[in-house]
Amino acid sequence: MSKRKHGKKPAGPSLADVAALLRRTFDEANPPKSGELDSRRPGVIVLPDGTRIVRLGASERALRIRGHVKVERYREATGEHLQREENDNLVVTTGLEWIKDFCFNTATTQTQQKYIAVGSSNQVVAATDTALIAELARQIISAYTAGGPGVCTVETTFAAGVGTGTITEVGLFDANAAGDMWNRVVINPVAKGAGDAVKVTMTFTFSAV
């Protein structure tokens, strides 16, 4: 008896096809709300009147500034490391204005941001802050380190007897008193005793996103 030859079974839909179908079905049943991205058209945002606008493309990237602050407490006499607190900072409005004027205003009198200040307030950071809420001490940056493209680190150390108290806020300024504040950050309390030194390190990253 001869065996019947069976034809090749047609291939079924791929997992990618099934996923695309499910996504399309979900999108049609759940249209984007105002202000949300339209998942059916990547990079498109829906306005309240239903208008769709395209987000910035690769050739129209926006500048993003990120900052990270690290505060370390040491026993100055022995070098013993006692505490470390870290948090991301907020570049406040005065900082943004400083960038604009320093870079482009030919009449500007702005100087470099080169003074780090510490304070004792834990008031929530706001873009409208123009100074630390309760400044304890301020001193000039002692070191600048360039990192990768758009990355740099600045630091200074408050020696024993300088800025003694409970440090909960840090900021960067362009003057040794008053001046324009670039950023402000609130951290967990760092109790700086009379014999303690505190090192503050700020890392900034400028990127086009």
Side-chain angles (χ1 to χ4, degrees), residues 66-93:
R66 290 173 292 168
H68 188 77
V69 178
K70 178 171 62 176
V71 178
E72 298 173 281
R73 181 167 65 95
Y74 298 86
R75 189 78 68 206
E76 186 168 88
T78 62
E80 179 187 2
H81 188 275
L82 302 172
Q83 184 180 1
R84 181 176 71 185
E85 300 295 340
E86 301 184 50
N87 203 357
D88 294 333
N89 73 185
L90 174 67
V91 178
V92 294
T93 300

Side-chain angles (χ1 to χ4, degrees), residues 128-189:
T128 53
D129 290 343
T130 58
L132 296 187
I133 309 304
E135 186 171 323
L136 293 171
R138 185 186 304 197
Q139 61 186 32
I140 197 165
I141 289 169
S142 59
Y144 165 87
T145 304
V151 180
C152 69
T153 298
V154 296
E155 63 183 53
T156 194
T157 298
F158 294 84
V162 180
T164 302
T166 302
I167 297 172
T168 51
E169 58 178 339
V170 182
L172 183 64
F173 294 81
D174 63 356
N176 60 3
D180 296 310
M181 183 170 70
W182 164 281
N183 67 326
R184 180 170 176 257
V185 62
V186 170
I187 58 171
N188 290 328

